[in-house]
Amino acid sequence: MKFTASHILSIAQFERVDIEHIFQVADRMRPYANRQKLTRVLDGAILGNLFFEPSTRTRISFGSAFNLLGGEVRETTGLSNSALAKGESLQDTARVLSGYSDVIAMRHPENGSVAEFASASRVPVVNGGDGSNEHPTQALLDLYTIQSELKSQKRNIDGLRIAMIGDLRYGRTVHSLCRLLCLFNNVKAVLISPGELKMPDAIVEMMESAGHEVVISDQLEPNITDVDIVYSTRIQEERFQSQQEADLYRGRFRLNNQIYTKHCQPNTVIMHPLPRDSRVSANELDVDLDANPNLAIFRQADNGIVIRMALFALILDVADQVDAHARPVNWYTPGR
Ligand code: NCD
């Protein structure tokens, strides 16, 4: 695909070469993310960071990625704090805010909302999550993490065996990740969820059409024995009619050290897009796994920075100028 000035709305727009390109640019962002040097390549550029739904790491990492390239960030958080609450259309908001920004990142609770917004935007728009539909930048950082975690085992994305666990019906991260895996070969995906929260048929069919093996189950333990990655997800309580309905599913699949040690291979990598629900009623990824070196969740979150830096650099066509605008870092940083 042509990255310059493109919206990033769905995994559907990528081919395999595009993913390899993004990952190569992300690798080159590492010294900047680690504060070994800084760059001012986006000096003067403005990111409009519009988060109409709760977010911690996605919003901050979009903003930090832009700052690390030397750009500035203006943001709005929450639907009730924006003019959308006064009845303004997404298109009008887009028409206005795209006059204030060079690129926009956006999250919104409705499926398709970010594409609708983008249709009226005069600057590129990056989807930070639209309802239960897609979360393409998360899938990119997830796959980048999978690749780097498996490198030491001499395994790659082709031939990957992955178990996805939890709310596969409303979880947009797993929807985008499955779409992304369709660009690779010979994947085995074990989809573990309560029957009511299973992966949408269209995505399962897409995986099967790509030649992948798909196993669907509502049982955790027997299905995590022979995989490279366990990817746990949160019950997306905000997508249910009521909390009582979400309560039916919370805590159904708990992974802790004892279950991991008993059922997983010794080097199975544990991932989660975060936030993990650590309330007693859920405790989907127990803190007793935190000392386990195979727990990749914080490395995964860190990778959000380099992936989002790479996307901004590509969209704004500065990927090859980043190093020309590099400078030393003056302050103390633990990364150096
Ligand atoms: C996810 C999301 O918002 O879809 N979080 C994230 O962006 N890392 C997953 C979730 O909220 O459960």
Side-chain angles (χ1 to χ4, degrees):
M1 67 174 273
K2 178 183 77 66
F3 282 100
T4 307
S6 288
H7 303 305
I8 306 288
L9 299 174
S10 164
I11 291 298
Q13 64 195 89
F14 296 119
E15 291 174 37
R16 184 168 172 156
V17 288
D18 302 322
I19 306 305
E20 285 158 7
H21 188 37
I22 295 167
F23 288 3
Q24 280 160 10
V25 177
D27 287 342
R28 288 199 268 125
M29 298 300 167
R30 183 72 61 195
Y32 301 100
N34 290 346
R35 316 306 202 260
Q36 286 152 336
K37 46 185 177 170
L38 66 87
T39 179
R40 290 277 151 249
V41 69
L42 287 186
D43 190 15
I46 295 176
L47 166 70
N49 209 20
L50 317 180
F51 274 71
F52 300 116
E53 225 188 13
S55 173
T56 300
R57 75 221 81 234
T58 305
R59 178 171 65 84
I60 303 294
S61 69
F62 267 119
S64 296
F66 208 74
N67 288 149
L68 284 165
L69 290 166
E72 307 232 0
V73 182
R74 292 287 171 271
E75 56 187 20
T76 177
T77 54
L79 263 175
S80 58
N81 296 329
S82 82
L84 294 174
K86 299 181 181 174
E88 185 171 55
S89 69
L90 282 168
Q91 284 91 345
D92 280 5
T93 305
R95 180 68 183 70
V96 172
L97 293 182
S98 58
Y100 301 166
S101 321
D102 296 279
V103 57
I104 287 173
M106 175 176 165
R107 168 174 288 185
H108 189 282
E110 274 165 44
N111 295 22
S113 52
V114 182
E116 192 181 333
F117 180 98
S119 70
S121 170
R122 291 167 290 166
V123 300
V125 176
V126 183
N127 184 357
D130 62 320
S132 61
N133 183 37
E134 280 226 40
H135 193 345
T137 64
Q138 179 72 40
L140 289 168
L141 77 89
D142 287 344
L143 198 69
Y144 183 77
T145 304
I146 291 171
Q147 189 179 59
S148 66
E149 294 291 323
L150 294 186
K151 206 172 255 168
S152 64
Q153 300 176 35
K154 304 248 180 317
R155 291 188 60 80
N156 208 331
I157 304 165
D158 291 320
L160 178 74
R161 300 162 305 165
I162 182 169
M164 299 185 196
I165 303 160
D167 184 351
L168 307 184
R169 178 176 179 188
Y170 295 118
R172 56 193 170 199
T173 74
V174 284
H175 297 166
S176 287
L177 184 57
C178 283
R179 289 175 196 274
L180 188 51
L181 288 172
C182 289
L183 299 177
F184 294 80
N185 300 320
N186 197 21
V187 171
K188 179 177 178 187
V190 188
L191 306 178
I192 305 166
S193 71
E196 300 86 343
L197 302 183
K198 66 182 173 37
M199 184 67 77
D201 291 343
I203 297 179
V204 173
E205 281 158 25
M206 200 181 293
M207 296 276 279
E208 286 171 343
S209 303
H212 297 336
E213 181 186 349
V214 181
V215 177
I216 294 174
S217 175
D218 60 3
Q219 298 297 314
L220 180 70
E221 282 86 349
N223 286 297
I224 53 174
T225 55
D226 204 16
V227 290
D228 305 300
I229 306 282
V230 287
Y231 186 107
S232 175
T233 67
R234 181 179 65 88
I235 300 299
Q236 307 283 292
E237 57 186 24
E238 61 276 39
R239 313 261 177 253
F240 289 83
Q241 298 294 334
S242 68
Q243 279 300 315
Q244 288 87 325
E245 199 190 342
D247 287 342
L248 294 174
Y249 307 110
R250 237 193 296 273
R252 190 78 75 85
F253 304 112
R254 297 163 187 261
L255 192 62
N256 59 26
N257 219 9
Q258 188 255 328
I259 295 169
Y260 176 88
T261 312
K262 182 157 179 227
H263 297 281
C264 291
Q265 315 225 325
N267 54 8
T268 295
V269 176
I270 306 161
M271 294 177 60
H272 191 301
L274 301 179
R276 57 177 156 175
D277 188 342
S278 294
R279 290 170 290 192
V280 189
S281 57
N283 202 21
E284 54 208 15
L285 215 51
D286 199 292
V287 289
D288 73 0
L289 287 161
D290 286 10
N292 187 323
N294 295 309
L295 186 82
I297 56 176
F298 299 116
R299 295 190 287 277
Q300 183 182 358
D302 284 347
N303 286 335
I305 292 284
V306 288
I307 287 292
R308 293 183 173 115
M309 286 179 80
L311 289 171
F312 286 135
L314 287 164
I315 294 169
L316 296 175
D317 198 19
V318 294
D320 293 330
Q321 299 173 53
V322 171
D323 294 330
H325 293 264
R327 289 196 222 152
V329 170
N330 299 320
W331 64 92
Y332 165 76
T333 69
R336 275 190 289 166

